[in-house]
């Protein structure tokens, strides 16, 4: 049986093969430009070395490159060697940093068993992982495009930045993008009348209170201040239109990928489990399953191993009388950031999560530390549910009896009680009463009156 180490680069692969006694039996370099099929070239190199060359264990530092994935798909045994541990071995042994030496070092670590077995996900889970990473990148690109547009508007037209509140999407909303595309500068917006604004808002999808919204925007744009030279303003208009086109493309790309993400998420075998966890929607659930996969029992020995991989298990440093507990940085950044968001969301939706978070904050933990400890409990519970097939139970996860007195509860009280709702209905029944006046009388928004008093959501 042979043990091989593969040091990869963007131009070639250096391979070293050891026998079970640690002796080097073969070395080669596979250049991509000279070998159209590196996997076939690698198998041809192994074949003359021995009869059991197909049982060769190949260690590599990055198992996500195409060579490693294709080699594993061909039936060869591929394992993951930690690059950080390999670097420490190199320094401790005084090995020079060369591709050939790195290949020998990885082969020796593979022979010593210092590797992690590669457990491939099913095609369904792998497809979800690809789409989830693409969606993350699209969302990041959308945020970057939005910030670039906001910065450009702050240079010549600060009033446009605050013209659309965050409650309707801010500058990312279709209404804002439609108006800014038609009038990207203060002078151009000043020339728009209420009819033109209403036409733009209707084309952008607004259905209710179009004239009122058009009048509100007209009043904002009616008195432009701090104007620049018209030639400079026209040049800034070209820039803003270019940024708007980039933002439109980023928004469409993120929306299309979100639809594909939901489709792959619903096809995942653990979709129903994630759907039963309070505070986890389609996006967060898809992100979690994309990183955990559909074979957690094979990839991780127990829940604590998954928690360490996710970066929510602390690292203890002890020397003599000094004991220090620190944050684990060697982890999956994707899974760690997703769990932070999941924990924050569950605090607002799960009674047990809210009670646990409150207890940790009362004990002196910071916000981030309390969320990290909450995320660890969530990961341990999800691992148990995935490996046992049991559904998620909030009471079991956080150890409380929902029927007992004083049990955690996250029941939300409406903005208006029953008496106020009846009084608001009586006010609206009087001639000449308006929703705006009624909302002002109770100190709530018009959306609250539409939803809780009239029983219909108000669509914009």
């Amino acid at each position: 049986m042979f043990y091989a180490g593969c040091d990869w680069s963007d131009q070639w692969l250096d391979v070293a093969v050891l026998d079970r006694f640690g002796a080097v039996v073969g070395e080669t370099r596979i250049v991509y430009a000279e070998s159209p099929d590196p996997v076939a070239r690698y198998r041809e190199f192994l074949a003359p070395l021995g009869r059991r060359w197909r049982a060769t264990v190949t260690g590599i530092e990055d198992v996500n490159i195409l060579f490693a994935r294709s080699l594993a798909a061909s039936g060869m045994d591929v394992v993951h060697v930690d690059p950080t541990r390999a670097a420490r071995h190199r320094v401790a042994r005084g090995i020079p940093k060369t591709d050939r030496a790195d290949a020998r070092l990885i082969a020796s670590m593979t022979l010593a068993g210092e590797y992690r077995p590669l457990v491939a996900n099913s095609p369904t889970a792998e497809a979800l992982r690809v789409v989830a990473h693409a969606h993350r990148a699209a969302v990041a690109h959308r945020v970057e495009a939005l910030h670039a547009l906001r910065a450009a508007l702050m240079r010549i037209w600060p009033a446009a930045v605050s013209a659309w509140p965050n409650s309707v999407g801010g500058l990312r909303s279709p209404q804002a993008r439609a108006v800014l595309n038609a009038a990207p500068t203060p002078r151009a917006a000043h020339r728009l009348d209420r009819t033109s604004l209403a036409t733009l808002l209707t084309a952008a999808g607004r259905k209710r209170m179009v004239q009122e919204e058009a009048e509100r925007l007209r009043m904002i744009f009616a008195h432009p201040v701090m104007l620049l030279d018209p030639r400079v303003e026209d040049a800034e208009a070209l820039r803003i239109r270019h940024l708007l086109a980039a933002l439109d493309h980023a928004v469409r790309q993120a929306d299309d990928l979100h639809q594909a993400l939901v489709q792959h998420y619903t096809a995942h075998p653990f979709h129903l489990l994630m759907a039963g966890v309070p505070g986890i929607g389609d996006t967060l659930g898809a992100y979690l399953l994309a990183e955990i996969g559909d074979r957690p029992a094979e990839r991780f020995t127990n829940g604590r191993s998954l928690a360490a991989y996710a970066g929510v298990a602390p690292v203890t440093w002890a020397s003599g009388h000094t004991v220090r507990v620190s944050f684990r940085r060697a982890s999956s950044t994707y899974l760690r950031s997703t769990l932070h968001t999941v924990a924050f969301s569950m605090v607002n939706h799960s009674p047990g999560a809210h009670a646990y978070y409150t207890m940790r904050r009362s004990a002196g933990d910071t916000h981030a530390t309390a969320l990290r400890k909450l995320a660890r409990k969530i990961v341990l519970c999800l691992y148990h549910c995935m490996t046992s097939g049991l559904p998620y139970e909030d009471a079991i996860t956080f150890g409380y009896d929902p029927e007992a007195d004083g049990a955690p509860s996250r029941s939300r009280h409406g903005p208006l009680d029953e008496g106020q709702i009846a009084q608001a209905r009586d006010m609206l029944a009087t001639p000449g009463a308006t929703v705006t006046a009624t909302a002002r009388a109770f100190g709530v928004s018009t959306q609250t009156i539409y939803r809780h008093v009239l029983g219909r959501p108000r669509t914009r």
Side-chain angles (χ1 to χ4, degrees), residues 128 135 258 261-263 265-266 271 274-275 279-289:
L128 174 63
H135 183 261
H258 183 265
L261 181 69
V262 173
Q263 293 177 359
Y265 173 54
T266 54
H271 163 253
M274 288 295 177
I280 298 183
D282 292 338
T283 302
L284 288 179
Y287 284 0
L288 280 177
L289 293 182

Side-chain angles (χ1 to χ4, degrees), residues 54-393:
R54 291 183 178 83
T56 301
V57 181
T58 304
I60 193 168
E61 292 180 331
D62 188 356
V63 295
N64 293 319
I65 64 174
L66 181 59
F67 173 77
R69 296 163 65 185
S70 180
L71 184 62
S74 67
M76 298 287 290
D77 192 4
V78 180
V79 297
H80 175 242
V81 176
D82 186 9
T84 303
R85 180 176 293 182
R88 292 174 179 171
H89 277 269
R90 186 187 308 112
V91 174
R93 300 179 185 179
I95 301 175
K97 181 67 178 74
T98 63
D99 294 342
R100 182 180 180 182
D102 286 346
R104 287 190 175 188
L105 175 63
I106 295 173
S108 64
M109 294 180 64
T110 304
L111 172 62
E114 299 183 41
Y115 59 79
R116 188 175 187 177
L118 176 62
V119 180
N121 293 320
S122 66
T124 301
E126 188 63 23
L128 174 63
R129 183 174 181 270
V130 173
V131 176
H133 286 189
H135 183 261
R136 281 180 179 271
V139 171
H141 178 59
R142 184 182 64 188
V143 173
E144 181 181 357
L146 179 62
H147 288 176
L149 175 61
R150 185 183 185 279
L153 287 173
M154 287 297 295
R155 288 169 54 89
I156 66 164
W157 195 12
V161 177
S162 57
W164 291 273
N166 293 330
S167 60
V168 298
L171 294 176
R172 202 186 76 187
S173 65
Q175 302 171 35
R177 287 184 280 129
V179 174
L180 290 176
N181 191 48
T185 60
R187 286 189 176 92
H190 175 68
R191 291 190 292 267
L192 292 177
D193 55 9
R194 186 169 65 176
T195 303
S196 301
L197 286 170
T199 302
L200 293 172
L201 294 174
T202 303
R206 191 178 183 95
K207 298 180 180 179
R208 288 184 175 272
M209 302 180 67
V210 177
Q211 296 298 329
E212 290 80 356
E213 178 67 9
E215 180 63 21
R216 185 185 72 85
L217 293 176
R218 192 188 69 83
M219 294 299 297
I220 294 175
F221 304 151
H223 304 286
V225 296
M226 295 187 295
L227 298 178
L228 301 176
D229 186 273
R231 291 169 294 183
V232 178
E233 193 171 282
D234 292 341
E236 293 283 0
L238 293 175
R239 180 184 183 184
I240 290 175
R241 282 199 172 98
H242 174 75
L243 294 174
L244 278 169
L247 179 59
D248 290 339
H249 176 72
V251 170
R252 289 194 301 269
Q253 186 181 32
D255 292 343
D256 294 342
L257 285 172
H258 183 265
Q259 295 179 2
L261 181 69
V262 173
Q263 293 177 359
H264 286 83
Y265 173 54
T266 54
H268 198 280
F270 291 132
H271 163 253
L272 294 179
L273 168 63
M274 288 295 177
V277 182
I280 298 183
D282 292 338
T283 302
L284 288 179
Y287 284 0
L288 280 177
L289 293 182
E291 302 306 320
I292 298 176
D294 59 348
R295 297 172 180 174
E298 301 175 24
R299 291 186 62 191
F300 308 99
T301 55
N302 49 42
R304 290 177 295 178
S305 176
L306 175 57
Y309 174 74
V312 294
V315 178
T316 302
W317 302 85
S319 177
H321 296 287
T322 303
V323 178
R324 180 171 60 90
V325 179
S326 64
F327 172 69
R328 182 182 294 271
R329 299 188 180 275
S331 59
S332 170
T333 55
Y334 285 152
L335 185 55
R336 186 176 64 197
S337 62
T338 301
L339 282 173
H340 181 87
T341 308
V342 166
F344 185 80
S345 178
M346 287 189 65
V347 169
N348 297 320
H349 295 83
S350 166
H354 181 266
Y356 183 82
Y357 173 81
T358 304
M359 178 188 67
R360 296 313 316 168
R361 290 304 304 272
S362 301
D365 290 345
T366 63
H367 171 71
T369 303
L371 288 183
R372 188 162 57 249
K373 292 181 178 180
L374 174 60
R376 184 176 185 273
K377 292 186 69 68
I378 296 172
V379 163
L380 295 177
C381 174
L382 291 179
Y383 180 86
H384 176 73
C385 293
M386 289 178 178
T387 55
S388 64
L390 297 175
Y392 174 85
E393 292 289 344

Side-chain angles (χ1 to χ4, degrees), residues 18-24 111:
L18 309 180
D19 59 15
R20 60 191 182 94
F21 301 105
V24 178
L111 172 62

